[in-house]
Amino acid sequence: MTNQSRSFYRLLGPFLARREVVAEVGGPIWDEDDKTWFVALADGVVVGFCAARESGSVVTLQSAYVVPGYRRSGVYRALFADRLAWLGDRPARAVCTEASLPAFLDTGFTEARTRGRFTEVRRG
């Protein structure tokens, strides 16, 4: 899904500026035209999302969030798997939290550096 999709703002709009979401992902979430979004729904309601942005030869994986009531239920891993399938063999980087770091390391990413509560990871 992109921000050009008819349902984008209806589904994700309520999350983009929520203080608790912004605080958890480490900054504002923007809806740039070159982002691809992956969305998890339960009964038509968003329970998680993540994004990826193509920039030159490296894809940046961005903006992952799962609603608190759906954490530890496989939503993040499913979104992560969808994003990796879309990514294919292309080189990628991400800045992740301690909670999401294992998912990256388990799929071939390596730690590049850590700053505060965030770790930059790279693949390829």
Side-chain angles (χ1 to χ4, degrees):
M1 166 182 296
T2 69
N3 65 359
Q4 301 301 309
S5 302
R6 294 175 62 95
S7 59
F8 178 83
Y9 288 104
R10 179 180 54 79
L11 290 172
L12 290 177
F15 290 95
L16 296 180
R18 284 175 50 184
R19 288 182 182 163
E20 65 273 16
V21 176
V22 170
E24 193 163 318
V25 300
I29 302 170
W30 305 104
D31 64 337
E32 293 102 343
D33 292 341
D34 58 350
K35 268 190 184 178
T36 299
W37 294 83
F38 304 85
V39 181
L41 301 173
D43 298 321
V45 176
V46 173
V47 296
F49 61 86
C50 61
R53 184 175 188 194
E54 296 184 69
S55 177
S57 62
V58 176
V59 176
T60 302
L61 305 182
Q62 301 178 321
S63 306
Y65 180 79
V66 175
V67 173
Y70 283 85
R71 294 180 184 165
R72 301 201 184 282
S73 69
V75 170
Y76 180 80
R77 288 277 181 172
L79 287 167
F80 194 84
D82 288 348
R83 192 165 52 173
L84 286 181
W86 170 86
L87 178 64
D89 293 332
R90 293 179 286 176
R93 66 179 178 205
V95 175
C96 61
T97 64
E98 184 178 321
S100 62
L101 182 59
F104 284 95
L105 297 179
D106 290 348
T107 55
F109 284 81
T110 58
E111 293 182 50
R113 65 183 173 144
T114 299
R115 224 181 235 180
R117 63 185 185 106
F118 297 100
T119 300
E120 181 181 347
V121 294
R122 294 180 180 269
R123 184 188 84 176

